[in-house]
Amino acid sequence: MREIVIVGGGYAGFSTTWGLEKKLRRGEARVTVVDPRPYMTYQPFLPEVVAGSVEARHAAVSLRRHLRRTRLIAGSVTEIRNSARTVTVRPHSGPDFDLHYDVLVVTAGAVTRTFPIPGLSEQAYGLKHVEEAVAIRDRLLTSFDRAATLPRGPERSKLLTVTVVGGGFTGVEGFGELLGLATVLLRHYPEIGAEELAFHLVEARGRILPEVTDRPGEWVVRSLEKRGARVHLNTQLVSAEAGRVVLSDGAEYDCGLLVWTAGNAANPIVHNHTDLPVDERGLLTVRADLRVGTDTDVVADVWAAGDNASVPDLAAGRPGARTVPNAQHAVRQGRRLAKNILAALRGRPTKDYAHRSLGVVATLGLGRGVFQYRRLVVKGFPAWLMHRGYHLLAVPSWERKARVFAVWTTAALYGRDIVSLVSVQHPRDAFTSSGDPHRGEEPTDAVAG
């Protein structure tokens, strides 16, 4: 029986595996997925997890629940040696081991791109995984609780100051949802005035949302500023030491919550620990049919898709164009990849991946959004409804669709849940202290501030 090893269970990996499970004949091949997490994160829902509009668990699709015919290994691939047809796996427990394959699929995804900025690693949260979204939400809710008990002054102002670095979709959506959540919280905290909130969006380029054209991007900036936010364009984060944010435009202030969403970088496994061909960005060189290699030099039985692959964009109509790293492409590449692997196993010709964009849509907070398809631009509440409708259809499995829709319906009737569960990060504190406040102060957070 042929061994198919899939490195990574994200969008592309999950879609590929799901497609193979549906079509593989009994005894034709065995599929193994290696991923450190037991779930696929539906990243477009992370901003709504931050705002409490989607439950954290509902943005995570269980691999074991939905991939029942696949062998799942909880661990990380530390090296790919195609010359020996093996990958080295580091499991959560036990020693490293080698895993042999006949067919390899690399869908490891990208990682958050960071820079050696003073204080960044100590102070900032990313927004790529469910646990990060939950921590950001709890941090903001806890900051409101603390600020409400303090007199007006520097410490209170710091708690009510939020900075998001990165003006792409993740940054803008996360920023808009955080701003919307803070506005809702003001109704429940009469001690805090709206003028005390300080929300900063920082973008190194001269515009935000590069996937949309100039005018919709400018409208988003105006919309955020009307809601009290400050958008810093052509600006970089210089320092964040001890929670003191310093920007290249001269702004300097204390910040209680710093979120970093400034782009993606090549996965270190693909960039540094493989003998497979990579391009100048550290991404796997991939043909239009998703085989690793070039049109003249293909790597036999090795495939790749998603954010770790440089896939030709045939729909763009220009030489050298590559697909952008987003969920829309990753899911569809995974589906095509499953069909092509099956075709190759059965001696049939493969087909090239070609997908025209369905448009781009972003949420800017509850009831606010922007959508663009070519020259068609939709703003405000209709775009927000389109955002919810599209992602409700796109999230894998009817089970997850039903759970998300139920949460949205409940929120529409009763409003958002504003309970902070930051104490779950230290679950033994109540037990070890026996409720005695003199036996040690409750830890405030994993991030200093």
Side-chain angles (χ1 to χ4, degrees):
M1 185 183 299
R2 293 172 70 82
E3 294 282 347
I4 302 175
V5 173
I6 299 178
V7 180
Y11 294 123
F14 181 88
S15 299
T16 301
T17 310
W18 213 8
L20 289 172
E21 277 203 357
K22 293 176 181 178
K23 299 296 183 180
L24 275 173
R25 302 173 186 136
R26 187 173 299 276
E28 188 172 18
R30 181 171 71 165
V31 181
T32 299
V33 173
V34 183
D35 196 284
R37 290 179 171 81
Y39 55 82
M40 182 208 82
T41 302
Y42 190 71
Q43 292 181 358
F45 277 159
L46 293 185
E48 294 208 50
V49 172
V50 168
S53 299
V54 170
E55 288 289 336
R57 287 174 296 176
H58 300 167
V61 180
S62 170
L63 299 182
R64 290 195 177 273
R65 183 184 182 98
H66 299 287
L67 304 178
R68 298 180 180 178
R69 295 172 53 195
T70 298
R71 179 171 62 151
L72 300 172
I73 296 178
S76 301
V77 170
T78 60
E79 187 177 4
I80 299 172
R81 297 184 304 283
N82 189 57
S83 58
R85 295 284 174 133
T86 60
V87 297
T88 300
V89 178
R90 179 164 297 163
H92 290 321
S93 300
D96 293 3
F97 62 90
D98 288 340
L99 194 64
H100 172 79
Y101 62 81
D102 296 300
V103 178
L104 177 66
V105 180
V106 186
T107 52
V111 298
T112 301
R113 180 182 60 185
T114 59
F115 300 98
I117 298 172
L120 179 65
S121 60
E122 294 81 14
Q123 298 294 326
Y125 294 91
L127 187 50
K128 203 171 184 65
H129 301 290
V130 172
E131 56 268 30
E132 294 172 323
V134 172
I136 291 168
R137 169 179 167 79
D138 285 343
R139 178 71 177 234
L140 183 66
L141 294 172
T142 303
S143 293
F144 266 73
D145 284 334
R146 295 174 187 161
T149 64
L150 294 171
R152 293 201 178 199
E155 187 175 355
R156 176 161 159 151
S157 296
K158 180 178 181 179
L159 289 169
L160 299 175
T161 300
V162 174
T163 301
V164 175
V165 181
F169 264 86
T170 300
V172 172
E173 289 189 316
F175 184 79
E177 292 287 358
L178 275 170
L179 182 57
L181 175 59
T183 303
V184 169
L185 290 176
L186 289 174
R187 305 173 194 167
H188 303 278
Y189 290 84
E191 306 93 336
I192 300 174
E195 73 283 356
E196 294 185 78
L197 300 181
F199 275 70
H200 300 263
L201 177 63
V202 181
E203 169 54 44
R205 291 166 292 190
R207 51 164 299 179
I208 62 174
L209 296 177
E211 295 88 346
V212 304
T213 53
D214 289 345
R215 293 186 66 183
E218 293 167 356
W219 176 84
V220 171
V221 171
R222 293 195 301 271
S223 175
L224 292 173
E225 289 178 339
K226 285 180 181 178
R227 294 163 62 189
R230 182 175 176 185
V231 180
H232 304 257
L233 299 178
N234 295 308
T235 303
Q236 297 178 354
L237 177 67
V238 175
S239 175
E241 287 187 294
R244 183 72 175 176
V245 167
V246 180
L247 303 179
S248 62
D249 64 358
E252 187 173 344
Y253 53 87
D254 289 330
C255 178
L257 174 57
L258 175 63
V259 181
W260 178 270
T261 65
N264 295 324
N267 194 300
I269 303 306
V270 171
H271 188 248
N272 302 319
H273 304 289
T274 180
D275 55 0
L276 296 171
V278 297
D279 65 9
E280 66 281 358
R281 296 177 296 168
L283 303 177
L284 287 172
T285 303
V286 176
R287 303 183 346 156
D289 65 354
L290 304 176
R291 295 178 190 263
V292 171
T294 65
D295 291 336
T296 58
D297 187 16
V298 64
V299 180
D301 298 319
V302 181
W303 311 75
D307 292 355
N308 65 188
S310 180
V311 180
D313 190 353
L314 301 184
R318 61 181 186 276
R322 301 288 168 177
T323 58
V324 296
N326 61 24
Q328 191 176 135
H329 279 299
V331 170
R332 286 163 176 79
Q333 286 171 9
R335 293 171 183 167
R336 169 46 54 197
L337 183 50
K339 294 175 181 177
N340 281 353
I341 292 172
L342 288 167
L345 287 174
R346 296 166 185 173
R348 299 201 302 262
T350 60
K351 294 183 179 180
D352 291 344
Y353 172 76
H355 169 68
R356 293 191 180 276
S357 173
L358 301 176
V360 291
V361 61
T363 175
L364 305 175
L366 193 63
R368 300 177 175 91
V370 62
F371 167 83
Q372 182 173 14
Y373 176 69
R374 298 183 180 178
R375 295 185 179 181
L376 174 64
V377 177
V378 181
K379 306 171 185 174
F381 186 73
W384 177 77
L385 285 178
M386 295 170 71
H387 176 273
R388 286 208 159 180
Y390 172 78
H391 286 300
L392 186 64
L393 292 174
V395 67
S397 86
W398 285 103
E399 174 258 344
R400 273 297 176 262
K401 297 180 200 296
R403 291 181 187 275
V404 170
F405 184 75
V407 172
W408 282 346
T409 303
T410 304
L413 294 173
Y414 300 106
R416 299 181 185 183
D417 195 327
I418 61 168
V419 175
S420 168
L421 295 178
V422 69
S423 58
V424 301
Q425 299 175 29
H426 310 279
R428 297 186 65 252
D429 287 348
F431 173 74
T432 56
S433 68
S434 299
D436 185 350
H438 297 287
R439 295 182 63 177
E441 295 183 357
E442 181 183 351
T444 57
D445 209 313
V447 176

